[in-house]
Amino acid sequence: MMGRCKSEQGQLFYAFDLEAVVPDDHQVRQIAAVLDLSWVRAELAPHYSNTGRPSVDPELMIRMLILGYVFAIRSERALCREVQLNLAYRWFCGLGIEDRIPDHSAFTRARNERFRDHDVFRHVFEHVVVSCIKAGLVGGDGFAVDASLIAADANKCRSTPGDKWSHDIDPMRARRAVQDYLANLDDPAWGRATDVVPKFVAPSDPAAQWTGALRSAAFFAYADNYLVDIKFGIIMDVEASRAIRQSEVGASQTMIERTEKTFGIKPDWLVADTAYGAAQNLHFLVDVKGIAPHIPVIDKSKRDDGTFSRDDFIYDEARDQCICPSGKILPRSSGARGPRGDDAISYFSRVADCRDCPLKSKCCPNSPSRKITRHVHEAARDVARAIAKTPAYDQTRRDRKKVEMLFAHLKRILRLGRLRLRGPAGARFEFTLAAIAQNLRRFAKLALHPPNTAAPCVA
């Protein structure tokens, strides 16, 4: 007898167990095992009224948003459809088979009001990091820092030349992204990051930076900054900034200080690329924080014309003077700073010493005397140069790839190649959620397959 897949008469009663339907090896089970949101309602309670119609459960919205970034569903409309259909997603969110899914507009209101006022996703991120620390997944000895450009939701065709853009805007009549930009004009990571007028400004998102840093077609972008623990690649902090080097370096300092304040962890050494090798940043790491910089030094003193470079001169720290290859002294200039008014200190040789010097042709063939400049933080630069000659430096250069792999995972797997939200607040929201998703995926994987914690660390 030929069977039928469906009876013509509807079934009156159903016995459906959602717990039994979700496979034991599904990723939502692994993530649910390491995610604790039991504290959310108590912390968000002051932001809700005691009267009126009950709101959508904030823990449900947070779970849905985390789910969306874990599985690269960043559209809230698409997320609501997926949770409506996918039984595993319903189970993760604590929804029954007949429970209604929140409307996508509820996420917009919560993100721009209660979630933003409380900065709840920053707290979720910190709780996940604390769980990773308790599980022994954070070494705390060495960190890596880097930034990656993420395209902004801005169009070149609708941009305005930077010299024609005016900050004289009524905040009350501006869009939310413009209001957010105006509110951050005094922030070193945004408005005060640089005095250089950008080539183009996007009126819809003025905080987005017009950049050609990727050596391809220029575009509007934000910088996603990560501070990563080297041991297992756990993201210790995340920060959004403008897509320029000054902002990225400032963001790295903010993350280091915030990690020390929040978790009580300060690394012994930090690895980064040349963009972080400026003297001011090395001074912050060496003299202020006591962190060994495994960072290439930005140094343009090397000469390629056959004449002596600055490295050929010996600096006498006790007498604050330089000694040339022929043994003559270059005393410090009378000014506290060099003639350029920057942080470079100048040392000039005497004309009489150079006039009859047999090495003049290799030292200063086109000038009567030689000038050597040293930065006021040259001692910190010397520390970085000395570290670059050690065997540990070669290993940390390889370890730096862990943060680059996280950015590759962010763009290829989580599909965060372009922002959906605008303004500094929108960039922070998306970057923080993406970092939460990456830490949860890593935490769940390592919890399922415990790593060998006896692996050696670089001293």
Side-chain angles (χ1 to χ4, degrees):
M1 176 177 167
M2 183 180 296
R4 294 179 180 270
C5 63
K6 182 179 179 181
S7 174
E8 295 181 358
Q9 181 179 356
Q11 189 171 344
L12 296 178
F13 302 99
Y14 291 87
F16 187 85
D17 185 4
L18 188 59
E19 176 73 26
V21 172
V22 181
D24 293 336
D25 59 349
H26 198 287
Q27 193 171 18
V28 294
R29 286 193 179 274
Q30 303 169 16
I31 294 174
V34 298
L35 177 63
D36 178 22
L37 296 177
S38 59
W39 52 272
V40 167
R41 291 189 182 88
E43 288 208 15
L44 287 177
H47 298 273
Y48 286 83
S49 174
N50 295 324
T51 60
R53 187 178 62 180
S55 69
V56 179
D57 186 352
E59 182 179 344
L60 169 60
M61 288 194 288
I62 292 173
R63 282 185 174 274
M64 287 182 65
L65 287 170
I66 291 175
L67 186 73
Y69 277 78
V70 167
F71 292 100
I73 311 170
R74 294 174 49 242
S75 167
E76 287 153 6
R77 290 177 182 267
L79 177 61
C80 292
R81 290 196 299 267
E82 290 296 325
V83 175
Q84 175 75 27
L85 298 173
N86 194 305
L87 297 179
Y89 294 171
R90 278 183 173 269
W91 176 88
F92 178 82
C93 295
L95 295 170
I97 190 65
E98 296 181 349
D99 289 335
R100 295 186 60 183
I101 307 300
D103 187 78
H104 66 88
S105 61
F107 293 93
T108 303
R109 293 194 301 270
R111 179 176 61 245
N112 295 323
E113 296 171 7
R114 298 181 181 92
F115 290 173
R116 182 172 179 177
D117 294 339
H118 182 266
D119 202 7
V120 64
F121 286 100
R122 166 59 59 175
H123 290 247
V124 173
F125 173 80
E126 291 172 356
H127 275 77
V128 173
V129 175
V130 169
S131 299
C132 294
I133 294 173
K134 292 180 179 178
L137 303 181
V138 174
D141 298 324
F143 286 177
V145 66
D146 204 354
S148 183
L149 299 185
I150 306 296
D153 185 23
N155 194 329
K156 163 65 171 60
C157 298
R158 299 182 180 180
S159 63
T160 302
D163 55 357
K164 296 181 180 180
W165 170 257
S166 174
H167 292 133
D168 189 15
I169 303 172
D170 184 5
M172 301 304 296
R173 303 180 62 181
R175 296 181 179 180
R176 184 180 294 109
V178 179
Q179 293 177 0
D180 195 13
Y181 166 72
L182 295 175
N184 288 275
L185 280 177
D186 295 330
D187 192 328
W190 302 102
R192 290 198 296 113
T194 178
D195 296 330
V196 177
V197 177
K199 187 174 182 180
F200 296 103
V201 174
S204 60
D205 191 359
Q209 181 74 28
W210 179 257
T211 177
L214 298 184
R215 297 182 181 179
S216 58
F219 61 103
F220 288 105
Y222 284 90
D224 187 6
N225 301 271
Y226 276 178
L227 183 67
V228 178
D229 182 82
I230 289 299
K231 185 177 181 181
F232 292 114
I234 299 298
I235 303 170
M236 299 299 295
D237 206 346
V238 56
E239 183 70 16
S241 71
R242 292 182 68 183
I244 54 177
R245 188 175 67 181
Q246 298 94 316
S247 293
E248 294 169 4
V249 172
S252 70
Q253 298 178 3
T254 299
M255 292 188 293
I256 290 172
E257 291 180 332
R258 188 163 54 198
T259 299
E260 182 179 6
K261 179 180 178 181
T262 305
F263 308 115
I265 297 177
K266 186 184 71 171
D268 296 330
W269 49 270
L270 178 76
V271 58
D273 59 24
T274 311
Y276 300 85
Q280 292 85 351
N281 188 48
L282 296 175
H283 163 68
F284 169 81
L285 294 174
V286 176
D287 302 326
V288 178
K289 289 297 179 182
I291 299 173
H294 289 237
I295 304 173
V297 179
I298 298 177
D299 191 353
K300 299 180 180 180
S301 65
K302 204 72 175 178
R303 295 191 174 188
D304 55 3
D305 59 355
T307 59
F308 294 133
S309 299
R310 185 175 59 190
D311 293 343
D312 297 315
F313 291 73
I314 301 173
Y315 176 66
D316 186 348
E317 184 177 2
R319 296 179 175 85
D320 192 16
Q321 60 187 17
C322 292
I323 303 174
C324 73
S326 64
K328 302 297 183 180
I329 294 176
L330 282 71
R332 177 173 173 168
S333 63
S334 56
R337 295 288 188 271
R340 296 175 296 177
D342 54 15
D343 290 329
I345 302 174
S346 300
Y347 299 83
F348 290 93
S349 64
R350 298 180 178 89
V351 177
D353 292 337
C354 297
R355 183 182 299 119
D356 300 324
C357 180
L359 299 179
K360 187 178 188 304
S361 60
K362 297 189 63 178
C363 183
C364 51
N366 300 321
S367 60
S369 63
R370 179 65 187 266
K371 182 184 75 170
I372 296 295
T373 58
R374 281 178 57 89
H375 199 277
V376 292
H377 302 311
E378 195 69 29
R381 288 156 57 94
D382 290 339
V383 171
R385 292 189 185 100
I387 292 174
K389 300 176 182 178
T390 62
Y393 183 81
D394 296 332
Q395 176 61 43
T396 57
R397 303 312 297 167
R398 292 189 288 270
D399 290 336
R400 193 177 66 86
K401 295 179 181 179
K402 292 185 178 181
V403 66
E404 296 176 350
M405 292 169 61
L406 283 169
F407 286 129
H409 178 270
L410 177 74
K411 295 179 180 180
R412 294 177 63 88
I413 306 301
L414 301 190
R415 299 179 184 177
L416 188 60
R418 182 183 178 92
L419 291 174
R420 183 174 56 89
L421 304 178
R422 295 174 176 172
R428 292 191 194 101
F429 178 86
E430 293 213 58
F431 293 162
T432 304
L433 262 172
I436 292 171
Q438 288 184 293
N439 274 349
L440 284 173
R441 290 172 65 114
R442 178 62 57 88
F443 189 7
K445 180 179 179 180
L446 294 177
L448 185 65
H449 303 286
N452 180 14
T453 57
C457 297
V458 178

